[in-house]
Amino acid sequence: MARFELKLPKMGESVAEATITNWLKNVGETIEADEAVLEIATDKVDSEVPSEVSGTLTEILFNVDDVVKVGQTIAIIETEGGAVAAPKAEAAPAVVAEVAKTVEVAAAVSAPADFSGSDKFFSPLVKNIAKEEGVSVAELEAINGTGKDGRVTKNDILEYVKNRGSQPVAAPAAVEAPKAAAPQPVATATKAVPVSVNGGDEIVEMDRMRKLISGYMVQSKQTSAHVQSFIEVDVTNIVKWRDKVKNAFEKREGEKLTFTPIFMEAVAKALRDFPGMNISVEGDYIIKKKNINLGMAAALPNGNLIVPVIKNADQLNLVGMAKAVNDLGNRAKAGKLKPDDTQGGTYTVTNVGTFGSVFGTPIINQPQVGILALGAIRKVPAVIETPAGDFIGIRQKMFLSHSYDHRVVDGALGGSFVKRVADYLEAWDINRDI
């Protein structure tokens, strides 16, 4: 019998860990190659982890709700013979090389502290702040994090650095005391269940995704200085053009042509014109994104929200954009998105008009600096200017609502960007080929 270590696989470029949500197999049960052993969840996407080999599950190393890092062994499977030694031997050097590379890069940037020996997970941003401020590993581990699962957030470490002047830096014993005392009140507060006063109210705990969304929304409002610009757009030509070509498009491409890819194409063009909107913020640094990756907010059947990403959206023609929008939308509703499908967004679009809203004030998807809400298209009376004079006519109009981060985007840029999107939409060629 040979022992095979089932590890948490790499699930995307920026996915470093996942939460175990359900074990599909119990100890002692047999497993076929490629059969799902457990279910996991990243920030927004749920998926299954299959076994690479056939055998018997002998050990489960993590419980449900445990957070596991990519590359960690999560279970042991016993197999017949010793054939499984090869994949294990191949995986180890790859993991070691990746870790060594990360350590070398970190050492080249700054080497006041080595976080590799810590069992706690710290984000790259938190590590960088710790290095810049000379915060030791012992101090960082002792900070009472307010993030998910007690993780140390940017605000936590900045608050610690701010108040550290009155505290002895090299006094691990003094910092260890709050570490032991802190978990009790936090755990009590988390598990406290509201009590119905009249006995008729139903109390329902948020599901995992809703808790994550709740945390992200609050964090975004606390992080970014939100400000909005609104503009009304005449999309009469777009409505007429789509009505004219949608049946032929569906017959030829096997895809429905909605308004969303048309709007996404205009947004991608505007981002190319105004690269100052295609950035992200980390601390005091602005990161100018090379690629234009559009996030597309999508409502799920259970009422939750997810934001799949169209990669290199500015390089797609309208047919490619329509296929990408439909593919991500359909897989989102079916719960078949991969972790990488929601990673790497540089700007987000949300279609609030789907639910009849005329406009909205969307919350920025961190660490991006802008999000555009598409309002409902409505028939409205409008002044039409002609050489013969002005008259009132019926036009198809909608509002674009642009939320942006005033820390790095001023009104001139935020307003000019949304105006450029409107210009592209209003200049739509009604005779355009598909």
Side-chain angles (χ1 to χ4, degrees):
M1 300 289 282
R3 285 163 56 89
F4 175 80
E5 295 183 356
L6 179 65
K7 300 178 183 293
L8 184 66
K10 188 173 176 64
M11 297 166 290
E13 214 171 290
S14 56
V15 180
E17 60 186 18
T19 302
I20 296 176
T21 56
N22 183 34
W23 283 97
L24 302 175
K25 293 289 185 177
N26 297 317
V27 172
E29 292 186 352
T30 56
I31 301 170
E32 298 297 327
D34 295 327
E35 185 178 5
V37 180
L38 68 155
E39 295 174 342
I40 58 171
T42 60
D43 283 354
K44 290 184 177 180
V45 179
D46 296 345
S47 56
E48 296 177 339
V49 176
S51 172
E52 300 174 41
V53 297
S54 299
T56 303
L57 182 62
T58 57
E59 291 183 54
I60 290 178
L61 304 180
F62 290 92
N63 298 318
V64 171
D65 294 331
D66 283 350
V67 177
V68 185
K69 295 178 183 177
V70 169
Q72 273 191 296
T73 302
I74 50 181
I76 303 295
I77 300 172
E78 280 197 357
T79 64
E80 295 290 340
V84 295
K88 183 178 174 182
E90 289 172 7
V95 174
V96 171
E98 190 175 347
V99 173
K101 184 179 176 183
T102 306
V103 172
E104 287 172 9
V105 172
V109 177
S110 172
D114 179 15
F115 300 98
S116 60
S118 174
D119 292 330
K120 279 194 171 184
F121 172 81
F122 300 108
S123 70
L125 177 59
V126 169
K127 289 180 183 177
N128 287 337
I129 295 174
K131 290 174 183 176
E132 291 171 4
E133 300 295 338
V135 178
S136 68
V137 178
E139 289 176 278
L140 194 56
E141 288 183 333
I143 296 175
N144 184 24
T146 60
K148 183 178 181 291
D149 297 324
R151 285 186 211 157
V152 177
T153 66
K154 180 186 75 171
N155 291 336
D156 293 333
I157 190 168
L158 291 177
E159 185 67 17
Y160 174 77
V161 170
K162 178 182 174 183
N163 299 326
R164 190 171 55 152
S166 58
Q167 301 174 5
V169 177
V175 224
E176 276 298 313
K179 181 181 177 183
Q184 290 182 347
V186 171
T188 306
T190 306
K191 293 188 177 181
V193 179
V195 178
S196 174
V197 178
N198 59 21
D201 299 331
E202 183 182 4
I203 299 170
V204 180
E205 184 180 2
M206 295 183 192
D207 61 25
R208 183 192 60 83
M209 185 176 282
R210 178 48 56 185
K211 289 176 183 176
L212 287 170
I213 294 172
S214 173
Y216 292 146
M217 297 300 101
V218 173
Q219 180 202 17
S220 182
K221 293 293 284 187
Q222 292 174 342
T223 301
S224 296
H226 282 65
V227 67
Q228 283 83 26
S229 293
F230 305 93
I231 191 166
E232 191 174 28
V233 190
D234 189 332
V235 292
T236 305
N237 285 346
I238 291 177
V239 173
K240 289 180 178 178
W241 178 83
R242 177 179 169 272
D243 287 342
K244 181 175 69 174
V245 305
K246 63 181 182 181
N247 291 334
F249 183 91
E250 184 174 3
K251 184 176 180 180
R252 189 187 77 187
E253 302 294 338
E255 302 274 352
K256 289 186 179 296
L257 179 62
T258 65
F259 288 109
T260 301
I262 298 173
F263 298 141
M264 298 294 260
E265 181 188 66
V267 172
K269 288 181 179 178
L271 285 172
R272 199 163 48 196
D273 297 340
F274 293 94
M277 287 304 311
N278 197 53
I279 65 174
S280 65
V281 179
E282 282 197 19
D284 294 331
Y285 296 92
I286 294 172
I287 300 172
K288 297 180 178 180
K289 298 294 187 178
K290 178 183 178 182
N291 299 327
I292 295 176
N293 300 332
L294 287 183
M296 180 184 73
L300 299 176
N302 62 2
N304 286 325
L305 182 72
I306 197 165
V307 186
V309 176
I310 300 173
K311 308 290 173 61
N312 299 309
D314 60 319
Q315 298 178 20
L316 298 175
N317 60 18
L318 189 59
V319 174
M321 189 73 79
K323 288 181 179 293
V325 166
N326 291 341
D327 172 57
L328 289 173
N330 292 335
R331 286 197 287 124
K333 291 175 184 176
K336 294 185 177 180
L337 287 175
K338 299 174 183 176
D340 204 39
D341 290 329
T342 61
Q343 305 296 325
T346 61
Y347 188 88
T348 299
V349 178
T350 178
N351 191 353
V352 299
T354 303
F355 312 104
S357 296
V358 178
F359 53 81
T361 55
I363 296 175
I364 296 168
N365 189 12
Q366 296 296 326
Q368 299 167 22
V369 299
I371 180 171
L372 186 69
L374 310 172
I377 299 175
R378 303 169 302 136
K379 289 183 179 180
V380 296
V383 176
I384 301 174
E385 298 177 355
T386 69
D390 299 344
F391 66 93
I392 302 295
I394 303 299
R395 305 293 290 178
Q396 302 268 10
K397 291 197 172 188
M398 66 180 293
F399 279 99
L400 301 179
S401 309
H402 186 210
S403 290
Y404 47 96
D405 189 344
H406 213 336
R407 294 179 302 164
V408 290
V409 180
D410 293 325
L413 174 57
S416 298
F417 169 78
V418 72
K419 176 65 166 58
R420 183 62 55 86
V421 176
D423 290 343
Y424 279 127
L425 296 176
E426 291 190 338
W428 191 267
D429 182 4
I430 197 167
N431 296 314
R432 175 174 173 170
D433 293 329
I434 54 171

